[in-house]
Amino acid sequence: MALPGLSLPGLGLQSSHIASGSNVPNAAAQQTARQEDLAPRTEWRFEVNFQQQYTIRILSGNAELFGVELASNQPYNFSGIKGAIFTWQGCRLEISGEAESEYLGQETDYAVEWLNVHGMLETARDDAQSTPNGDGGPRVLVVGPDYVGKSSLIRSLTAWAVQSGWTPTIVNGDPREGLLAPPGSMSAVTVGSWLSVEDGYGISPISGPTVSPVKAPLVYHCPYTSPTEKPEIYKSLLTRTALSVTNKLEENALAKHSGLIIDTPGALNDPRSNYATVAHIVSEFSISLILTLGSERLSNDLIRRFSGTTAGADAIPVLRITKPAGAAEKDAQFMKQLQNQQIRQYFFGSSKDPLNPHSHTIAFADLNIWRANSRSLTQAMNSSATMDDSDDDYAPTSSMGSSQDFERVTPSQEMLGRLVAIKFCAGSETDEVAIRDSAVMGFAYVSEVDEGKKRVRFLSPHPQRWGDRAMVWGGWPEAVVDLVG
Amino acid sequence: MSARSPRGSLSGVSTEIAEDFSDSLKDLQGNNKFEIGNLTLIAKENTEHAQAISKVLEDHIRTTAPPRKLPALYVLDSIVKNVGTPYTVYLGRNLYQTFMDAYTLVDGNTRRNMEGMLKTWKEPVPGILDNTPVFPPDIVRPIENALIKFRTVMVQNNRGVQAQQPTYRNTPTPPQHNGRYAAPPSQGQGQPYYGQVRSFSEQGESPDRWADQSHQPSAYQQRTFSPAPQYQQPLGFPAQNQQPVNDLETIKRDVAAVAAQRQAQFAANPYDAKTRQELDALLQLQRLLDTQVLDAGALQQVQNQISALAVAPPPPQPTPQPAPAQHQWQPPPSIPQLPPQFSAPPVAYSQPPSAPPQQPSAHFLDPAALSGLQALLANGQKPSTPQMRAAAPALQNASHSQLSNVQTQTSTQPTINGADLIASLTKNGLLPPLPTSNTTPLPTTTTAPPPTQQQSTADILASLTKSNLFGPAPTPPGVPTPANTARPRVPMTAASLKTFRPELLHALYTSQPNQCSTCGRRFPASEVGRAAKARHLDWHFRTNQRMADSSIARGAHRHWFGNELEWIKLVEFDPSTTSAEDAAAAEARHGASGAGGGAGGKGGKKEMRAEERYVRAPPGVTRNVCSIDFEEMKSTYSEELQDWVFTNAVVMGGKIVHASCAEEMLKGSQKGAMASALQGGLGGQQRQRSATPDSALGKRKAEGALAGAGASRARME
Ligand SMILES: [Zn+2]
Ligand SMILES: [Zn+2]
């Protein structure tokens, strides 16, 4: 069942790709290991692209990456990452391999602030534990423009909480970057085991052993590049997520006391909508603390809106957190590679936890496929229809001939290379709201659409077929031509 | 059934041959190539009795004193390489146990020799065209894996010990366990044994050749009977170990070192209840030492007890030995030997004084001394009166004739069990008569482990507590929960953001000094923290072991995500530190509604059907023979538990058996017969206290994390 003769676009390139050695870092560079002594409360910043291999080892002292402490004398390998090894007590590092940039950062006041935020959350958790029938632990919303370190802050807060014995729940509201799921997801996870230095939150459940314990997310489908594409759908997905998360926290005292932290895309920083989506999250998740990063205006606006005198009894603290000096913009190419990597790893796993995807060929008649219409989908369709049209301005949706958000479609070549969400709801479902809100069981990759024989070949993570379930695809993530490369 | 009793299965001829072989084995004191060659010849000429010979050899390796284990293992090595089948089959069956039991009891140099030998077992026999290895990989690999883990645990624990001793922190080459980093002894050649095997097989079977190439006895003495400092260093004892020690830090270190050893032993043999019990007691003792102030006398007493528990070469043998070089060896002071494991033949308990001997031995004869004595007698050669007196100070005033009688009565037996020894000591007026079973008070708590011949640390601790050296041991807390003590309160205000609060770091770093060297995770220095770390390391080990198994990794696939209800009901826990039982309890607590999602709906409290029961497979154990129907059981991977398990299994008397068989046995009409047959094969410990099979099944509860009562967490399938 494992991929017999699967003609995945680009799959054939795998071996030659590896053989060509284009991913193998410069051997000479790798051999010259160098040492760096870091004073207390400084950090080693590095940007490593997806073709590079960068290795860091702690020779003495202690250090952490996004709040996750490194073990002494263990080599940690990085690729496709922009990060900083921070030390509270000072340390000596051994570094080898290649990076686009690497330097010692001494401006690290942000770290003290982040640790204090952790202290605030700990205080709130302790209080929650001593008042069993109270509102539970801290419920934190993190907002700010893109690339200001929101995810890094959240990962640090999560790692510290777990190290202190809590099981915080993390919600990722940014569909561009998945959390334990491919892009195009809105997911939530209660973190009950340690994070990994190299892999962050790690891996969702698989059938075999894993280097670090698996973490099981709840996944919804958000096939849009930004909340602004479909603000109302985005909000309804948030509502649905909030419902599940709230229920979960009520089920489990430790999770309730540990609280939750919500990551958001930069697009929520939207004064024109009067921060409507921010307000929606605050109310749906009963947010008790807002952290803003990277924008003074955003901070002032939110203080006025949620913390000022007009907020009255519902006032919640809004704190402006210093963005790390090392926070680096991720350009479009980096983001694209990151997304492709996430999709690839969903099916094939990582080098440490390799997985076997499976191929399923299913007749049109046995499929119930919905298309989530959106601006990004229209753009994608238009650009593929008129390849030489370099004008990528906003295009009206008329060419799709539909104003429906979700539309039942017959499989077509347009799906090729796309990720299709397999929903828990039945294929016979006719209610658009049910299609929209149903959680995701998994994603399948469309590797071939045979319109003559009327069948679709999917790449699926699981050997079992998914039976009669609704499948949904949309404009995001973009088609992946070379899933393996 | 009879096949499982130590001697029952051997036919008359086999018994004779085996006894000859056994006698020769007992004469084997060192790495003597002539004797090893001779034993190999006996084995070769009697392949029809291979089973009996293999059994004798295994028994000898298990019961002989640690310094004699390596020569005995060399016999095994020589036989499998020079004779091959059927010995490879018979010896291969228990090779894991044979090897690991010995490994845990010998010193660092011997371990290295054993490791070298193990390596050669993966290779084809030199000089033979056939390319098949000496032992098949599925026999050798579990041992290799166990060794990796053993070392990990040793190094880990050593680090944990060091972490609490800042003086060691910046030492470039800190003291290590196993003498791994200790300076090698002053021997010219670390010539591995297989070098001689090669030449032996090339030369045909000329024993002379062996003699020609044999190691000088002195080289062997230096290498294996390493002098005291080499052994002390691995234990983390400082150089002043030669003097009597009653300094608190030293004692703490010693306790930690012994605990580390027990941890490693436990890791290698997780179903050994005695090791577990000792380990628990040691951890408790550690905490007591951390929290209570003891006077010098009490400390000395603790030190003595701990020394008695340390795994070390055998007790002093002051008299000149037949082997000329023997006198060169000087055992480390005050570290008597941990006796070899033995299983008492059932017959011992049919005799009138069938009561557990723990009370008299505790008061009259020091248990460690008893064990030492036992080992001395088990050595095969008759120990002298001074030797026996030295091994057991309680016998200081015993007359020569009394001791001589004891020695004669016991040393004629192939293996000596504690009951026989006690009986003999009693008979000769060296021990007061044992109370009969009618008058023996039963243990007060039902959860108390079955009494053992050797007094465990738990007993020691209990007696220490009874004699008011310590206050009552505090109840260990259950599942670790976040400690909200002494954490600074940080209000949610902008003003609190800028001040650096090292106290917050204290909670993350300093208060959790024990770091996992694999993943960097930290654990508190408390008993709970140490236990959690031990489980955590075990998890890493098992995970790595499974990941190394390419057949598992190759077939892995991602699961479907869970639906909303499953996700809501799912209780997240750290599988590396939380036992299945804790998780089940947590689920019972939190998911009380019982609605459950998916396959995980079954409640933790409900009695499980036999097929649903499982036992986590001990590391390296992929197969097991059910002691009831003698059918093979194979481990399978449980996605739910992220671990290898034997399904339809329970632990009974320390062995894994089919749950259905156990159930059947309890229901069956021949209940008594089956039960006693089973228990006879499993060792008499249970029998002593209660002959009802229920107590064996009840053990399942006490097995805790090992015998899962079913972590019926919602499954994301
Ligand atoms: Zn670890
Ligand atoms: Zn059975």
Side-chain angles (χ1 to χ4, degrees), chain A residues 162-414:
Chain A
V162 170
Q163 180 63 55
S164 306
W166 303 100
T167 61
T169 298
I170 312 303
V171 174
N172 175 37
D174 188 349
R176 287 169 304 172
E177 222 178 308
L179 186 149
L180 294 162
S185 307
M186 178 181 288
S187 52
V189 62
T190 299
V191 182
S193 51
W194 75 94
L195 301 193
S196 150
V197 172
E198 292 169 353
D199 305 318
Y201 297 95
I203 185 168
S204 75
I206 68 171
S207 67
T210 52
V211 175
S212 48
V214 297
K215 302 190 174 51
L218 175 64
V219 181
Y220 293 97
H221 191 211
C222 187
Y224 316 106
T225 50
S226 160
T228 55
E229 277 199 70
K230 292 280 178 187
E232 294 314 309
I233 294 178
Y234 186 77
K235 280 194 233 171
S236 59
L237 288 173
L238 282 168
T239 299
R240 187 79 179 193
T241 307
L243 198 67
S244 296
V245 168
T246 309
N247 265 300
K248 169 142 193 160
L249 300 196
E250 286 306 319
E251 285 282 320
N252 183 318
L254 184 57
K256 184 180 181 182
H257 301 150
S258 302
L260 68 94
I261 310 176
I262 302 174
D263 200 355
T264 59
L268 258 59
N269 176 17
D270 180 15
R272 285 169 301 175
S273 75
N274 196 22
Y275 305 103
T277 313
V278 173
H280 182 77
I281 296 175
V282 168
S283 107
E284 295 298 90
F285 286 91
S286 309
I287 292 300
S288 61
L289 173 65
I290 298 176
L291 303 175
T292 73
L293 276 90
S295 165
E296 195 170 1
R297 177 179 173 191
L298 171 69
S299 181
N300 290 340
D301 285 353
L302 294 187
I303 287 172
R304 204 174 307 121
R305 168 110 193 229
F306 297 104
S307 199
T309 46
T310 52
D314 296 331
I316 48 173
V318 178
L319 300 179
R320 187 175 172 216
I321 308 299
T322 301
K323 98 176 204 190
E329 177 140 353
K330 294 166 180 165
D331 59 26
Q333 196 206 346
F334 188 92
M335 286 304 290
K336 180 77 187 159
Q337 283 180 298
L338 187 66
Q339 286 142 9
N340 285 359
Q341 185 188 54
Q342 286 194 334
I343 295 170
R344 199 159 57 237
Q345 290 190 346
Y346 175 71
F347 294 99
F348 293 96
S350 65
S351 57
K352 271 178 283 177
D353 298 311
L355 298 176
N356 260 2
H358 295 261
S359 175
H360 300 284
T361 303
I362 302 176
F364 283 7
D366 297 329
L367 290 167
N368 292 286
I369 296 184
W370 296 71
R371 187 178 60 203
N373 294 318
S374 69
R375 192 177 64 221
S376 58
L377 180 69
T378 309
Q379 282 172 347
M381 294 305 124
N382 285 346
S383 62
S384 65
T386 52
M387 290 299 282
D388 53 349
D389 186 1
S390 58
D391 182 9
D392 57 357
D393 281 352
Y394 172 75
T397 56
S398 58
S399 65
M400 295 302 297
S402 172
S403 57
Q404 269 179 283
D405 287 331
F406 293 89
E407 185 182 2
R408 208 183 257 278
V409 294
T410 308
S412 66
Q413 293 297 336
E414 291 165 345

Side-chain angles (χ1 to χ4, degrees), chain A residues 49-76:
Chain A
N49 69 32
F50 284 84
Q51 282 72 45
Q52 292 169 324
Q53 279 283 346
Y54 193 64
T55 303
I56 294 181
R57 201 154 68 99
I58 297 201
L59 300 177
S60 64
N62 308 105
E64 48 192 52
L65 175 68
F66 303 134
V68 186
E69 192 183 352
L70 283 72
S72 278
N73 266 311
Q74 283 282 348
Y76 288 98

Side-chain angles (χ1 to χ4, degrees), chain A residues 62 64 69 74 113 116 122-123 126-127 163 204-205 207 210 220 240 248 345-346 356 441, chain B residues 487 489-490 497-501 509 512 517 522 543 554 556-559 561 564 567 570 572:
Chain A
N62 308 105
E64 48 192 52
E69 192 183 352
Q74 283 282 348
E113 288 190 21
N116 281 327
E122 292 287 276
T123 301
D126 288 345
D127 289 350
Q163 180 63 55
S204 75
S207 67
T210 52
Y220 293 97
R240 187 79 179 193
K248 169 142 193 160
Q345 290 190 346
Y346 175 71
N356 260 2
M441 182 170 122
Chain B
R487 251 198 303 246
R489 290 192 66 82
V490 187
L497 282 174
K498 303 287 177 193
T499 326
F500 179 44
R501 292 179 175 79
Y509 283 88
Q512 306 191 52
S517 72
R522 286 179 175 273
T543 302
R554 222 180 294 129
H557 63 82
R558 193 178 294 273
H559 281 316
F561 299 125
E564 288 162 329
W567 186 77
L570 179 72
E572 275 81 8

Side-chain angles (χ1 to χ4, degrees), chain B residues 114-362:
Chain B
M114 288 178 68
E115 284 158 14
M117 180 171 64
L118 181 66
K119 259 189 213 133
T120 68
W121 291 347
K122 292 191 294 185
E123 296 159 8
V125 181
I128 290 180
L129 288 177
D130 185 1
N131 266 335
T132 55
V134 178
F135 282 111
D138 63 331
I139 287 178
V140 175
R141 200 181 301 122
I143 301 176
E144 287 181 316
N145 290 337
L147 294 190
I148 291 165
K149 171 189 208 163
F150 189 93
R151 281 181 224 127
T152 311
V153 172
M154 287 307 230
V155 171
Q156 290 288 346
N157 283 295
N158 200 41
R159 281 192 193 159
V161 172
Q162 283 168 35
Q164 294 159 296
Q165 301 162 34
T167 42
Y168 281 125
R169 279 216 99 139
N170 296 319
T171 314
T173 51
Q176 295 287 328
H177 286 292
N178 308 346
R180 200 169 302 284
Y181 300 118
S186 57
Q187 99 220 20
Q189 79 276 38
Q191 209 173 354
Y193 172 77
Y194 56 87
Q196 279 78 50
V197 172
R198 190 191 312 260
S199 52
F200 177 59
S201 62
E202 280 161 3
Q203 293 290 324
E205 288 118 28
S206 158
D208 293 340
R209 187 73 190 168
W210 285 64
D212 292 345
Q213 296 203 341
S214 67
H215 285 270
Q216 293 305 308
S218 62
Y220 170 66
Q221 294 302 338
Q222 282 184 337
R223 194 175 41 160
T224 310
F225 294 137
S226 48
Q230 184 152 21
Y231 189 71
Q232 285 152 4
Q233 196 175 28
L235 272 176
F237 292 154
Q240 66 265 28
N241 190 47
Q242 304 289 348
Q243 283 99 42
V245 222
N246 49 13
D247 144 56
L248 178 63
E249 282 316 302
T250 314
I251 291 173
K252 279 186 184 176
R253 263 202 304 279
D254 294 356
V255 174
V258 177
Q261 277 187 330
R262 286 299 186 281
Q263 227 147 21
Q265 269 176 276
F266 175 61
N269 196 4
Y271 287 111
D272 184 345
K274 177 172 155 287
T275 307
R276 178 203 307 251
Q277 190 185 324
E278 287 180 352
L279 179 58
D280 289 346
L282 282 164
L283 294 175
Q284 274 188 48
L285 183 59
Q286 265 181 325
R287 203 183 39 190
L288 285 171
L289 287 171
D290 284 344
T291 54
Q292 313 242 344
V293 182
L294 304 175
D295 63 34
L299 285 177
Q300 187 61 54
Q301 212 169 333
V302 173
Q303 174 65 37
N304 292 344
Q305 306 275 23
I306 289 309
S307 300
L309 280 158
V311 176
Q317 302 187 338
T319 47
Q321 298 297 306
Q326 193 84 15
H327 68 274
Q328 291 176 0
W329 173 61
Q330 293 193 334
S334 77
I335 310 178
Q337 166 211 20
L338 182 83
Q341 307 287 342
F342 60 87
S343 64
V347 63
Y349 300 105
S350 61
Q351 290 163 1
S354 61
Q358 82 275 22
Q359 288 306 331
S361 70

Side-chain angles (χ1 to χ4, degrees), chain B residues 631-663:
Chain B
E631 272 184 27
E632 190 175 64
M633 306 165 74
K634 280 186 186 167
S635 62
T636 53
Y637 185 76
S638 159
E639 291 169 6
E640 218 172 323
L641 293 159
Q642 295 269 305
D643 200 356
W644 284 94
V645 297
F646 288 104
T647 51
N648 176 22
V650 291
V651 174
M652 200 178 216
K655 304 243 176 174
I656 301 169
V657 300
H658 287 120
S660 48
C661 287
E663 211 165 70

